[in-house]
Amino acid sequence: MKKTIAIAVVLAATLSESFSQQWKPAGEKILTSWGEKLDATRPHPEYPRPQLVRKNNWQNLNGLWKYAITAKDQKEIPNTWEGNILVPFAVESALSGVGKEVGKDKALWYNNEISLDLKVDKNNAILHFGAVDWQCDLYVNGKLVGRHEGGFNPFSFDVTSFLKKGKKQNIALRVWDPTSDGPQPRGKQINNPHGIWYTPVTGIWQTVWIESVPRTYIVTTRHTPDVDAKALHFEAQVEGAQQGDQIVVEAYDGTAKIAEANTSIGSALKLAVPQAKLWSPDSPKLYDLNIKVLRKGKVVDEAKSYFAMRKITMKPDEMGIQRMYLNDKFVFHYGPLDQGWWPDGLHTAPSDEALKFDIIKTKEMGFNMIRKHIKVEPANWYRYCDSIGILVWQDMPSGDLGGNVWDMQPGKISGGLHDKVRSPESEAIYRKEWKAIMDVLHNYPSIVVWVPFNEAWGQFKTKEITEWTMKQDPSRIVNSASGGNFAYTGHMLDIHNYPDAAMPDPQIFGKDYILTLGEFGGLGLPVDGHTWQQKDNWGYQSFKSKEELKKRYEEVVANLAKLIPLGLSAGVYTQTTDVEVETNGLMTYDRKVIKISESDLKNIHQKLYDAKIGK
């Protein structure tokens, strides 16, 4: 036995040394502590789909793949490769081990010969990508499977018919991403990073995985809590269903079954939850779901999920000013603008622990909300917001910038609407991806606000897009245009003001809209040894010490608190962390320094939640 253990230890050490020779972080930028200790043999090994869990027959494909950068018009899989890239980190990132930019005139190719360890047999093999930026063509064993466009939403291909006999299978992926030279949603990426615009992200940046599923299987679910009706509305998309198949849904509180309902495939059902504990940041109660497909009484597919009972509504307070109510109680929403960027992984957190860290620290700092700023996170990020208890405002990643007029003055709304005229192709890309994002995020109870546009960046047909968003998901609040360029539609009027707190005039707008301050603050403090670059870093207002920063932060929060009784319902402070040359984070970019302690921040923020509204 001891000899066997010794051999295993030696083998593990040899494999680790082999990987270290094939991979190391690229460049000389700062790293997070998670990036410094990254195990390149197991990057992001976690199960990646918490809202539809089948853990019995899946395989994580993250790790070292081959890569090549070719001319854009090359359509054939390359014969030679430039080296290894660590998936799921974008090619420009340090943790990819490459650190190269690609651009609109080139294509990025991936290749991986996998050993398929799944039991496929009579099942279907589904290949999943968490996110690939932006356009990609998938090849399996040299044959083209299909194309996907969209840099922020997960997608999958049924590759069953492309597999060959035996375990060895070859996967190739061609990626094209024009970044800021194209009309597609891209968020904060730009070809020439500067100021508030960051390094491009090209290619795979979330987990790649494959699963074996029955020929009849659950593809997606959609569940919406109805607190007033004491029920959960449930729908499921099932592939390969046969006449007479049934869907059965069971709800559990721990190990105790609290509800069960069934219906025919393709029909919606209502699951009674009569004595539910309601979800909130103070009590983030989650219930488990078990979903089965039955055929003549036999289970042909089964998956796990979860839900929460909560509602977010708009209604006037005693003074007639519109407010946001969570479970029929006014809750002031206060949180940081969260960019979700990392110095070593760019869009990709170096580990799941790191991904969770930002949310934990946000909660410890006394925030009850996060505005996820023009980026979509991996599914587990939302799962952690659900379980930790953080309200989420979800932005649509912006794209096709330029040509808009940002029409906003602090404290009042000026002028008129200036919508951009986008090409039919550009409009179609936006609509397709926004729908895909809303669909895939629908089940996460922490998300309470959708934000289609920010600061007129690519903003078009505002009224139409906002009303479509409201119709697509009437269970949430819609903030049509964060920061200005208002079409007087949706539920909110949201201004941005730096550095001090401000709000729209409640006498003019308070009767019709929830009044919010979607961005303010931006107080900067560069910390030596923890910045993206040595000099020319900036904040909206910069300081030289933690003491100066804390004193000024207390002032802006105190001024924010004074606006709540007047009609303000939410505030968003810029921002969670430093990002590249921006040093206005509450934490440094590498997350190694917290500039104001968690306990001090929590004490400072309490006055916001203690503020009274109404007469």
Side-chain angles (χ1 to χ4, degrees):
M1 179 64 73
K2 289 182 179 179
K3 184 176 180 181
T4 302
I5 293 172
I7 291 171
V9 170
V10 171
L11 180 60
T14 302
L15 286 171
S16 179
E17 183 180 356
S18 174
F19 262 80
S20 66
Q21 291 172 352
Q22 297 178 61
W23 173 87
K24 64 178 182 178
E28 298 179 350
K29 296 292 187 181
I30 54 174
L31 302 175
T32 63
S33 58
W34 303 281
E36 290 170 345
K37 62 184 180 183
L38 178 66
D39 181 358
T41 66
R42 299 181 72 248
H44 285 280
E46 308 78 22
Y47 187 83
R49 192 181 58 195
Q51 276 285 1
L52 189 66
V53 177
R54 283 190 209 88
K55 285 192 175 180
N56 293 333
N57 209 3
W58 76 287
Q59 184 176 343
N60 192 309
L61 301 181
N62 292 342
L64 287 177
W65 292 41
K66 295 185 177 81
Y67 85 94
I69 297 173
T70 70
K72 175 190 171 184
D73 57 4
Q74 178 169 324
K75 306 299 182 183
E76 300 296 324
I77 300 172
N79 294 318
T80 58
W81 303 94
E82 296 178 33
N84 293 316
I85 182 169
L86 188 62
V87 169
F89 299 103
V91 67
E92 296 90 349
S93 72
L95 294 183
S96 71
V98 180
K100 295 179 182 178
E101 294 192 5
V102 182
K104 67 179 177 63
D105 297 322
K106 295 181 180 179
L108 170 65
W109 287 84
Y110 294 82
N111 186 259
N112 190 12
E113 185 172 28
I114 68 168
S115 176
L116 188 62
D117 298 327
L118 302 180
K119 295 179 181 179
V120 177
D121 298 328
K122 296 180 181 180
N123 287 1
N124 287 7
I126 311 298
L127 182 58
H128 298 274
F129 294 84
V132 178
D133 197 354
W134 172 73
Q135 179 194 86
C136 65
D137 298 316
L138 173 67
Y139 298 79
V140 173
N141 295 318
K143 296 180 180 179
L144 178 63
V145 177
R147 169 173 287 187
H148 177 264
E149 292 181 343
F152 294 92
N153 60 294
F155 61 96
S156 60
F157 290 101
D158 187 331
V159 297
T160 312
S161 62
F162 295 87
L163 299 181
K164 61 185 182 181
K165 291 183 179 180
K167 288 190 172 185
K168 296 297 182 182
Q169 311 291 334
N170 189 273
I171 300 171
L173 194 74
R174 176 191 176 275
V175 178
W176 176 69
D177 180 19
T179 310
S180 48
D181 289 323
Q184 80 290 345
R186 57 179 170 88
K188 283 292 190 84
Q189 307 171 60
I190 196 169
N191 289 325
N192 57 328
H194 62 278
I196 64 170
W197 306 103
Y198 315 140
T199 301
V201 171
T202 300
I204 299 169
W205 66 274
Q206 289 187 34
T207 290
V208 184
W209 58 294
I210 191 167
E211 68 173 332
S212 177
V213 299
R215 293 295 168 92
T216 300
Y217 67 99
I218 303 159
V219 180
T220 60
T221 65
R222 182 181 179 92
H223 25 96
T224 309
D226 188 337
V227 170
D228 294 335
K230 299 180 180 179
L232 182 76
H233 298 284
F234 182 93
E235 300 173 69
Q237 178 190 349
V238 178
E239 180 70 25
Q242 296 181 11
Q243 187 72 28
D245 286 355
Q246 292 274 307
I247 193 102
V248 177
V249 183
E250 302 165 331
Y252 289 84
D253 184 356
T255 58
K257 185 192 290 189
I258 61 171
E260 181 176 341
N262 66 83
T263 188
S264 57
I265 301 294
S267 300
L269 62 79
K270 187 164 75 171
L271 193 69
V273 192
Q275 295 178 318
K277 300 171 185 176
L278 301 186
W279 184 97
S280 72
D282 293 331
S283 180
K285 175 63 179 178
L286 301 177
Y287 293 92
D288 293 321
L289 283 175
N290 191 41
I291 309 147
K292 302 174 185 176
V293 177
L294 292 186
R295 178 174 299 152
K296 297 179 181 179
K298 181 181 179 181
V299 176
V300 296
D301 189 31
E302 187 171 5
K304 307 288 185 183
S305 189
Y306 69 91
F307 71 98
M309 296 298 291
R310 68 101 186 90
K311 71 172 182 175
I312 186 80
T313 50
M314 164 183 169
K315 61 182 179 179
D317 64 13
E318 294 176 6
M319 298 186 299
I321 294 176
Q322 295 292 341
R323 302 279 190 173
M324 270 187 298
Y325 287 79
L326 180 67
N327 303 327
D328 295 320
K329 296 179 181 178
F330 172 70
V331 174
F332 184 76
H333 291 211
Y334 185 56
L337 192 75
D338 194 302
Q339 314 268 13
W341 281 73
W342 300 82
D344 40 17
L346 301 180
H347 267 179
T348 312
S351 71
D352 192 67
E353 181 186 3
L355 189 74
K356 191 176 183 180
F357 176 86
D358 281 3
I359 303 168
I360 291 172
K361 286 301 168 187
T362 298
K363 189 71 179 278
E364 290 177 351
M365 290 172 178
F367 294 103
N368 65 1
M369 177 264 278
I370 289 171
R371 180 180 170 204
K372 178 47 63 178
H373 191 41
I374 57 175
K375 184 197 174 193
V376 178
E377 292 290 355
N380 278 329
W381 187 89
Y382 300 94
R383 175 66 173 86
Y384 293 138
C385 289
D386 292 344
S387 58
I388 292 169
I390 287 283
L391 300 162
V392 175
W393 293 18
Q394 178 62 54
D395 289 11
M396 169 62 178
S398 55
D400 202 357
L401 278 62
N404 284 101
V405 177
W406 183 18
D407 186 14
M408 193 283 294
Q409 293 182 10
K412 65 180 181 179
I413 313 303
S414 65
L417 178 67
H418 299 276
D419 269 345
K420 178 184 177 70
V421 177
R422 292 172 72 156
S423 70
E425 176 198 20
S426 176
E427 280 196 26
I429 289 170
Y430 175 99
R431 293 174 193 270
K432 180 181 178 182
E433 192 155 355
W434 184 220
K435 182 181 186 305
I437 289 168
M438 289 185 66
D439 285 345
V440 78
L441 297 182
H442 180 86
N443 292 346
Y444 297 98
S446 54
I447 299 174
V448 291
V449 175
W450 296 118
V451 188
F453 297 113
N454 176 76
E455 292 186 358
W457 295 346
Q459 186 174 337
F460 73 102
K461 295 184 178 178
T462 308
K463 192 171 188 298
E464 179 185 332
I465 295 296
T466 300
E467 291 178 357
W468 178 90
T469 303
M470 295 169 70
K471 185 178 179 180
Q472 179 74 3
D473 185 6
S475 72
R476 291 180 168 98
I477 298 295
V478 177
N479 181 5
S480 67
S482 183
N485 201 31
F486 303 107
Y488 304 102
T489 185
H491 302 108
M492 282 188 182
L493 218 55
D494 171 343
I495 66 168
H496 295 175
N497 194 67
Y498 288 99
D500 289 295
M503 67 181 289
D505 189 330
Q507 300 305 313
I508 299 175
F509 303 110
K511 306 296 182 184
D512 299 311
Y513 301 100
I514 299 165
L515 306 178
T516 64
L517 177 58
E519 292 181 30
F520 82 110
L523 307 180
L525 176 65
V527 179
D528 190 44
H530 300 275
T531 55
W532 181 251
Q533 58 190 32
Q534 281 299 107
K535 59 180 182 178
D536 298 327
N537 297 292
W538 70 278
Y540 288 92
Q541 184 177 1
S542 293
F543 300 88
K544 295 182 178 179
S545 70
K546 290 184 177 181
E547 293 72 26
E548 288 181 355
L549 176 67
K550 178 184 173 184
K551 181 180 179 181
R552 183 68 174 107
Y553 184 80
E554 287 179 301
E555 290 175 356
V556 298
V557 172
N559 291 334
L560 182 71
K562 294 175 184 176
L563 301 178
I564 299 172
L566 302 179
L568 189 69
S569 284
V572 179
Y573 178 80
T574 302
Q575 56 191 353
T576 308
T577 71
D578 297 346
V579 184
E580 300 203 354
V581 301
E582 293 184 50
T583 56
N584 46 30
L586 293 167
M587 295 185 283
T588 54
Y589 199 13
D590 57 13
R591 278 70 167 174
K592 292 179 179 178
V593 178
I594 296 174
K595 301 177 187 180
I596 306 173
S597 74
E598 300 94 313
S599 58
D600 283 347
L601 286 168
K602 188 171 185 178
N603 290 334
I604 293 168
H605 296 161
Q606 190 57 47
K607 62 175 67 71
L608 300 173
Y609 309 123
D610 292 339
K612 305 298 182 182
I613 66 167
K615 297 177 182 178

